[in-house]
Amino acid sequence: MKFRSLYKARTENLGVTMKPAELKKVLNGDPERFHFHWVTDSSFIISLNFSFGSNLVWDVNRPNTNSEILFYGKLSEIENSKTKIELKTRSKTFLATLLVVLPLLVVFLQIIFRFEWPIFLLLFAFFPLAILGLLHFIRSEEDGLLRLFQEYLNDEIMKHEKNVAEKLL
């Protein structure tokens, strides 16, 4: 996995063979494993119900979300009564910036306080490794949220198609 893919905004596209109005009805259920909220008529936010990183470390949540692990979704109609679902994450450039700033801070502190070399090297290596680990952890939580949404979407579409087939019989 490339470093840039850990911090840049991520976009996932899903396709569904139903009109956006039908898909909205299908998505209006209340998922148990993640939080779902309509923002406008064609856009929504999904977030994890609980995220170890954002709930315990920062305790900051966006409005209409349950954690900082989230996707912004947008529905758009494409040809032949199909719907495109575009899911996009937020960029993590702040963490990527810290990846550079914190080691420079350690170098600055080394100049002022003259740490012993083993302590300096430990501090210098700790911040980049910790931030890379955090970025990787956030990415894995985003993967989990995407998987949960896809499973929920597939289940709800199957239920909808079953109901439509039963009404036709």
Side-chain angles (χ1 to χ4, degrees):
M1 178 180 298
K2 294 182 180 179
F3 171 68
R4 187 164 188 247
S5 69
L6 288 175
Y7 72 86
K8 73 176 192 160
R10 174 180 175 186
T11 302
E12 299 287 336
N13 292 307
L14 306 173
V16 179
T17 56
M18 60 177 42
K19 292 183 179 181
E22 284 182 77
L23 184 58
K24 270 193 77 165
K25 290 177 188 175
V26 168
L27 290 175
N28 277 335
D30 189 22
E32 295 175 8
R33 299 176 71 193
F34 62 91
H35 179 76
F36 182 92
H37 179 78
W38 287 103
V39 178
T40 66
D41 198 36
S42 64
S43 64
F44 58 89
I45 296 175
I46 57 173
S47 65
L48 285 177
N49 286 332
F50 179 81
S51 164
F52 287 105
S54 62
N55 287 61
L56 297 178
V57 176
W58 290 297
D59 194 30
V60 289
N61 292 329
R62 306 262 172 243
N64 303 316
T65 65
N66 285 353
S67 75
E68 279 292 301
I69 306 301
L70 52 91
F71 278 94
Y72 295 99
K74 184 177 180 184
L75 303 178
S76 56
E77 188 169 3
I78 52 178
E79 74 278 342
N80 300 332
S81 299
K82 294 179 182 177
T83 303
K84 174 184 166 187
I85 304 171
E86 181 180 342
L87 298 169
K88 191 167 191 164
T89 63
R90 296 176 49 243
S91 174
K92 297 155 213 67
T93 53
F94 174 72
L95 289 172
T97 304
L98 286 180
L99 193 63
V100 174
V101 170
L102 290 177
L104 289 176
L105 179 65
V106 170
V107 170
F108 178 73
L109 291 174
Q110 169 66 12
I111 293 170
I112 292 173
F113 295 112
R114 304 278 182 205
F115 295 122
E116 296 292 326
W117 276 104
I119 294 172
F120 168 71
L121 292 176
L122 281 172
L123 287 174
F124 191 75
F126 172 75
F127 291 115
L129 293 176
I131 292 170
L132 284 173
L134 182 62
L135 285 169
H136 185 70
F137 181 71
I138 290 170
R139 177 69 180 223
S140 68
E141 284 194 325
E142 288 174 350
D143 289 342
L145 176 59
L146 181 62
R147 187 185 75 255
L148 289 173
F149 179 71
Q150 288 174 327
E151 289 171 0
Y152 173 75
L153 184 63
N154 288 337
D155 291 345
E156 292 301 311
I157 289 173
M158 295 289 279
K159 288 178 191 175
H160 176 72
E161 289 176 352
K162 185 180 177 183
N163 289 340
V164 169
E166 288 176 355
K167 287 179 183 177
L168 291 176
L169 294 176

